[in-house]
Amino acid sequence: HKIAYTRKTVPFQTAYNPHMWRYRASGPATTLRIEVTDSFGCTSTETMERPKAFHTRMR
């Protein structure tokens, strides 16, 4: 999202949206536990192992 938003990548259109978030980890190898609760009270959890490779062709 950040790459597309700042570089105006085509054909992927993007704009500001309130559901995007960011978090500053305590270190580059920190494992993150992400928990999201929707407006119906349903909770989803995911663990992100780091470091995570980053490039413009992420899937």
Side-chain angles (χ1 to χ4, degrees):
H1 173 81
K2 184 72 172 178
I3 291 169
Y5 189 72
T6 57
R7 294 185 186 171
K8 309 292 185 213
T9 307
V10 177
F12 180 73
Q13 298 299 317
T14 185
Y16 170 79
N17 54 65
H19 70 273
M20 299 297 283
W21 53 272
R22 67 179 169 177
Y23 176 81
R24 185 177 302 266
S26 59
T30 306
T31 298
L32 304 177
R33 181 176 178 268
I34 303 161
E35 183 174 295
V36 179
T37 304
D38 67 16
S39 58
F40 301 104
C42 298
T43 303
S44 296
T45 305
E46 180 178 330
T47 300
M48 179 188 293
E49 299 289 332
R50 294 175 30 130
K52 185 173 184 174
F54 179 78
H55 53 81
T56 58
R57 294 185 179 191
M58 290 183 78
R59 292 183 179 206

